[in-house]
Amino acid sequence: MSLSVVILAAGKGTRMKSSLPKVLHTIADKPMVEHVIDAARFLDAENIYLVYGFGGDILKAKVTGDDLTFVEQKEQLGTGHAVDMASPHLKDDENVLVLYGDVPLTRVSTLERLIAAKPDNGMSLLTVTVDNPTGYGRIVRDYGQVVGIVEQKDASQEQLLIQEINSGILYANGADLKRWLSNLSNDNAQGEYYLTDIIAACHAEGKLIETAHPDIAIETEGANDRVQLATLERAFQLREAEHLMIQGASLRDPHRIDIRGKLVIGQEVKIDINCIFEGEVVLADGVKVGANCILKDCTIGEFAEIKPNTIIDGAVIGDQCSVGPFARIRPDSVMNRNSHVGNFVEMKKSTLGEGSKSGHLTYLGDANIGKNVNIGAGTITCNYDGANKSQTIIADEAFIGSNSSLVAPVYVGENATIGAGSVIAKDVEKEQLAVARGKQRNIEGWQRPTKK
């Protein structure tokens, strides 16, 4: 039987104190609702219906996909009313999963457990037992069987003692769900149409209500303010850290890592504190990442070492390379095997050949550098003339002296040497020495300026 997913995303999120719809606030740099959509996609949902209200235009601009159908809830009259907005789209002969756009940490495995729990004649409900159920709808059972849900404001003193609570996430047949929704009443303390009332309706028809449970309670928690959002962020990051450690990574402190995309690791990877991984990052076997590094959309080769406070963005770092500390490797840069850049070296759209090194205080922009080249401290490839970018080519085994400026376009040949402090604006051929300095003058009796 086919699956459709209804995601409730109409809340304004007043307590967020924001102009954004609540579901667009991010966990790991991705809107909460996108985490929920991703889960629906993993389940191979045939249709995904996104019920929106406040900030609909912003939501549609931020969240896209051919498999998404946006359904407007013009008036926020409760969760039952929200799901009912999608009823015209739902088919009788399909099953429907109801999710929440501000509950981003529910695992796919938990949802699969919920789906498997559904009886042929009835529905399944995701519940969780907590120490403090205040504010949540309580699961009411009779001889172990679920017979209904009572909301906090409508609960009796006895019902308030129940610790099994409703997550709101449920799975039911399309025809059943539409029938139950059409009969909802708003005769309650809130004057709203509660989705939870369909549980009692299901029981009244003699149908079964089975429950499934998440591995940890945080899977069912939402974010109504920025404090709760931060709690979910830390829970997400700790879960990602645990996954890395299970795969064999060594983390200096699992509580101080941020993964904001997809991180793929090999064996014997070591990651120090306060590292951020964005986009798609691959760390091969034996990679070491020092403290306070930011790695974005990059590939790091085997046994490479990324030293502390280094930023790598859109680059490829080869096997056994050494980068940093305090280096910045910008997009379209490639460091080949066993090459090295040190502190305060920046590369942009450049290639550093095998065994080549640039130890300190250097800018390499639009440069193609061969094998075993030495780049002295303070070297600059002057790649921009104010209108156009030009390339610097440095052949194998060249030696670039400290504090040199290579004015592109320029070529430095194999085994050539550039004397320290030179400004090179003309090609230097193979094995030549180029020295381009102004004539030194030593002036006797020079008086330094004094402060006026």
Side-chain angles (χ1 to χ4, degrees), residues 9-125:
K12 181 177 181 179
T14 304
R15 282 179 280 171
M16 286 289 185
K17 308 295 183 183
S18 172
S19 59
L20 284 177
K22 179 171 65 170
V23 297
L24 288 183
H25 288 269
T26 61
I27 298 293
D29 263 8
K30 183 164 71 174
M32 289 191 288
V33 71
E34 285 197 8
H35 288 273
V36 182
I37 292 168
D38 285 347
R41 287 170 175 158
F42 272 114
L43 295 170
D44 292 327
E46 186 174 292
N47 301 291
I48 301 174
Y49 301 105
L50 205 58
V51 181
Y52 71 92
F54 170 78
D57 291 340
I58 302 173
L59 184 66
K60 289 177 182 178
K62 292 280 188 180
V63 180
T64 60
D66 294 337
D67 55 348
L68 298 180
T69 299
F70 289 87
V71 179
E72 185 177 13
Q73 184 189 20
K74 293 182 179 180
E75 296 181 273
Q76 276 69 65
L77 302 178
T79 51
H81 177 258
V83 177
D84 196 34
M85 295 299 96
S87 288
H89 300 279
L90 303 178
K91 295 180 288 188
D92 291 347
D93 60 348
E94 68 177 353
N95 287 325
V96 180
L97 176 65
V98 177
L99 300 175
Y100 294 79
D102 63 345
V103 181
L105 300 190
T106 312
R107 297 177 190 264
V108 172
S109 58
T110 296
L111 297 176
E112 290 173 336
R113 197 179 306 151
L114 175 68
I115 289 170
K118 180 186 175 299
D120 292 336
N121 183 33
M123 63 180 294
S124 56
L125 189 65

Side-chain angles (χ1 to χ4, degrees), residues 94-222:
E94 68 177 353
N95 287 325
V96 180
L97 176 65
V98 177
L99 300 175
Y100 294 79
D102 63 345
V103 181
L105 300 190
T106 312
R107 297 177 190 264
V108 172
S109 58
T110 296
L111 297 176
E112 290 173 336
R113 197 179 306 151
L114 175 68
I115 289 170
K118 180 186 175 299
D120 292 336
N121 183 33
M123 63 180 294
S124 56
L125 189 65
L126 191 67
T127 71
V128 61
T129 300
V130 296
D131 293 334
N132 181 10
T134 302
Y136 294 96
R138 310 305 204 274
I139 302 298
V140 180
R141 293 181 181 266
D142 186 17
Y143 296 100
Q145 295 297 313
V146 177
V147 297
I149 298 175
V150 60
E151 296 296 335
Q152 170 88 20
K153 293 184 178 181
D154 301 307
S156 66
Q157 290 301 311
E158 183 181 2
Q159 289 169 332
L160 287 174
L161 299 176
I162 298 171
Q163 291 181 296
E164 184 183 13
I165 62 170
N166 171 44
S167 72
I169 297 172
L170 58 84
Y171 184 65
N173 168 260
D176 289 342
L177 183 61
K178 289 192 290 184
R179 182 175 65 257
W180 297 329
L181 290 170
S182 66
N183 292 323
L184 287 179
S185 167
N186 65 345
D187 185 16
N188 52 59
Q190 290 288 90
E192 294 183 350
Y193 296 93
Y194 293 152
L195 179 62
T196 50
D197 286 348
I198 71 172
I199 310 304
C202 177
H203 174 70
E205 292 181 2
K207 295 180 181 291
L208 295 175
I209 301 128
E210 297 291 347
T211 59
H213 315 285
D215 294 327
I216 54 176
I218 197 75
E219 290 189 51
T220 63
E221 291 187 18

Side-chain angles (χ1 to χ4, degrees), residues 410-424:
V410 70
Y411 169 81
V412 178
E414 186 177 344
N415 279 306
T417 300
I418 306 299
S422 294
V423 177
I424 302 299

